[in-house]
Amino acid sequence: MVWTGTAEADVIRVRADDWCPYNCSEQKKGYGIEVAEEVFAAAGHRVQYQLAPWSRSLEDCLRGEIDAVIGAAPVDSPDLVFGAEPIGQWDSTFVIRKGQSWRYDGVASLERIKLAAIIGYIYMEPVGGYIEANKKNRARVDPVGGTQPLEQSLKMVAAGRIDAAVESRAVLEYKLRQMGLTGKLDYAGATQSGPIYIAFSPKHPKAREYADLLDQGVARLRASGRLRQILDRYGVRDWK
């Protein structure tokens, strides 16, 4: 569908914290935001993207104070309006110092290490349940906060101050390249992956319309090869 100028143009307010390469700074926006901008521009709408803490973004979206969040999974809230087309995959992938022998092999294997976990984040099960159950046990889980918690976690692993960090594989690959740590840390197993989405506010009267537009647009970008061009700029493989 190509916009003819007859429909009312909307500003779609999207928020999330920095989760590169899905969504990044407000300058280099991330491939998910670039995709959303192209899709909604074709329908005559404009995306207004800003960074904000994830928990606040999610709450504001559920209340209808913003229109959408990026990087959401159904586990975040069943009330969000999801389309059929994800904008990526997420999992809980572990990284350790190069040369270390530990590998993730289920929850029991986590009891042998000290793991960095970012405060307020949801991790793929069963890792999420383990972190929640051990969040006050500093011998097993070291909570990391601040404005750059993943970067801090990876530095701690590289320095030997902690045994492992955990994050989505695509995010880790991007961040390790950015930090120059690709050859210094090893991947050490992961949970199964699941889809992540741009999800819309249940309070917005056009939420389902926006989700459908995004579904159609992502399929169109994939078929034309344009999606591949956007992903290549971030070193990301298509998840389908």
Side-chain angles (χ1 to χ4, degrees):
M1 181 179 70
V2 178
W3 184 56
T4 61
T6 57
E8 183 179 352
D10 298 334
V11 175
I12 302 171
R13 299 163 298 170
V14 181
R15 304 285 185 273
D17 65 345
D18 188 331
W19 205 32
C20 252
Y22 307 115
N23 62 287
C24 308
S25 69
E26 292 165 21
Q27 289 75 44
K28 185 175 183 179
K29 297 177 181 180
Y31 79 79
I33 295 298
E34 288 194 29
V35 166
E37 287 181 333
E38 290 204 14
V39 167
F40 287 116
H45 306 314
R46 179 170 66 87
V47 171
Q48 182 196 78
Y49 165 62
Q50 290 180 334
L51 292 172
W54 174 250
S55 58
R56 191 178 83 206
S57 299
L58 185 59
E59 290 170 5
D60 286 350
C61 188
L62 291 169
R63 287 197 299 263
E65 294 181 14
I66 60 171
D67 306 316
V69 288
I70 181 170
V75 69
D76 286 303
S77 174
D79 294 327
L80 292 169
V81 178
F82 293 90
E85 283 281 358
I87 51 93
Q89 292 281 322
W90 76 302
D91 59 15
S92 290
T93 293
F94 296 87
V95 286
I96 58 175
R97 269 189 307 148
K98 198 167 188 65
Q100 300 300 301
S101 61
W102 180 85
R103 294 294 183 273
Y104 173 71
D105 187 24
V107 168
S109 65
L110 295 174
E111 297 175 358
R112 303 197 303 270
I113 64 165
K114 188 173 184 179
L115 176 68
I118 296 173
I119 296 169
Y121 272 31
I122 291 176
Y123 294 94
M124 189 72 77
E125 295 297 340
V127 176
Y130 172 85
I131 290 173
E132 179 64 23
N134 289 276
K135 63 183 180 181
K136 294 183 180 179
N137 184 348
R138 291 298 182 91
R140 291 186 175 179
V141 174
D142 193 343
V144 182
T147 58
Q148 297 288 337
L150 178 58
E151 185 170 320
Q152 182 180 341
S153 298
L154 295 175
K155 287 178 178 178
M156 291 166 67
V157 174
R161 294 167 51 201
I162 205 162
D163 298 310
V166 58
E167 180 52 279
S168 172
R169 177 69 179 243
V171 177
L172 284 172
E173 289 178 348
Y174 189 90
K175 180 59 75 171
L176 291 176
R177 286 197 304 270
Q178 187 183 58
M179 295 176 65
L181 293 176
T182 302
K184 298 178 182 178
L185 300 183
D186 281 339
Y187 296 108
T191 62
Q192 292 184 328
S193 63
I196 57 168
Y197 300 83
I198 295 175
F200 298 91
S201 172
K203 302 290 188 182
H204 199 295
K206 292 186 178 181
R208 178 49 56 191
E209 177 185 333
Y210 291 158
D212 291 344
L213 277 173
L214 190 61
D215 284 347
Q216 297 160 15
V218 170
R220 186 172 63 249
L221 292 180
R222 179 174 282 114
S224 70
R226 177 59 179 157
L227 179 62
R228 177 72 273 159
Q229 293 177 345
I230 295 172
L231 295 178
D232 282 348
R233 292 205 294 269
Y234 293 86
V236 175
R237 297 178 295 274
D238 194 343
W239 49 94
K240 279 195 173 183

